[in-house]
């Protein structure tokens, strides 16, 4: 299934980083974390574990996300402004009836 594919891809990247460390004594810090995380989320939301991620995978992920009413960034919930924004988004997406 797709989750197993993502796990295999993650394990391969981890093994590659460990090999790099064993051969050079350092970790591959030049790898762009943004791309790594972006690829992970594209894989999750497209349902396809693929490396490298292509435009087709990106389009599938975007299609999945368009079906969401709200996407909350959990790291933002740690700030007062982030919580206020989340409450505003949820109030619009899930209006409560007046009692």
């Amino acid at each position: 299934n797709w989750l197993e594919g993502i796990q295999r891809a993650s394990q391969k990247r981890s093994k590659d980083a460990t090999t790099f460390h064993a051969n050079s004594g350092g970790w591959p810090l030049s790898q762009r974390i943004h791309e790594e995380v972006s690829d992970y989320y594209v894989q999750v939301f497209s349902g396809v574990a693929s490396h490298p991620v292509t435009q087709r995978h990106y389009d599938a992920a975007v299609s999945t996300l368009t079906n969401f009413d709200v996407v909350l960034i959990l790291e933002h919930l740690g700030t007062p402004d982030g919580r206020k924004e989340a409450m505003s988004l949820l109030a619009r997406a899930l209006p409560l009836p007046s009692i």
Side-chain angles (χ1 to χ4, degrees):
N1 70 32
W2 67 270
L3 182 56
E4 290 169 350
I6 290 173
Q7 289 172 328
R8 280 192 305 275
S10 179
Q11 289 167 344
K12 181 186 180 320
R13 288 189 292 270
S14 176
K15 182 180 177 191
D16 291 346
T18 302
T19 301
F20 181 90
H21 177 61
N23 293 334
S24 69
W27 293 103
L29 298 177
S30 63
Q31 182 175 2
R32 289 179 254 188
I33 296 299
H34 167 69
E35 290 178 9
E36 180 74 16
V37 171
S38 295
D39 286 355
Y40 172 77
Y41 286 118
V42 169
Q43 290 177 30
V44 167
F45 288 112
S46 70
V48 178
S50 176
H51 192 70
V53 170
T54 66
Q55 184 66 41
R56 183 172 166 217
H57 301 118
Y58 174 80
D59 293 341
V62 168
S63 177
T64 298
L65 285 170
T66 60
N67 292 309
F68 284 56
D69 292 323
V70 176
V71 175
L72 299 177
I73 300 171
L74 296 180
E75 291 83 0
H76 291 185
L77 296 177
T79 67
D81 287 342
R83 288 189 294 274
K84 183 177 176 183
E85 179 185 20
M87 292 302 292
S88 173
L89 288 169
L90 289 171
R92 282 187 284 167
L94 306 168
L96 296 175
S98 298
I99 297 177

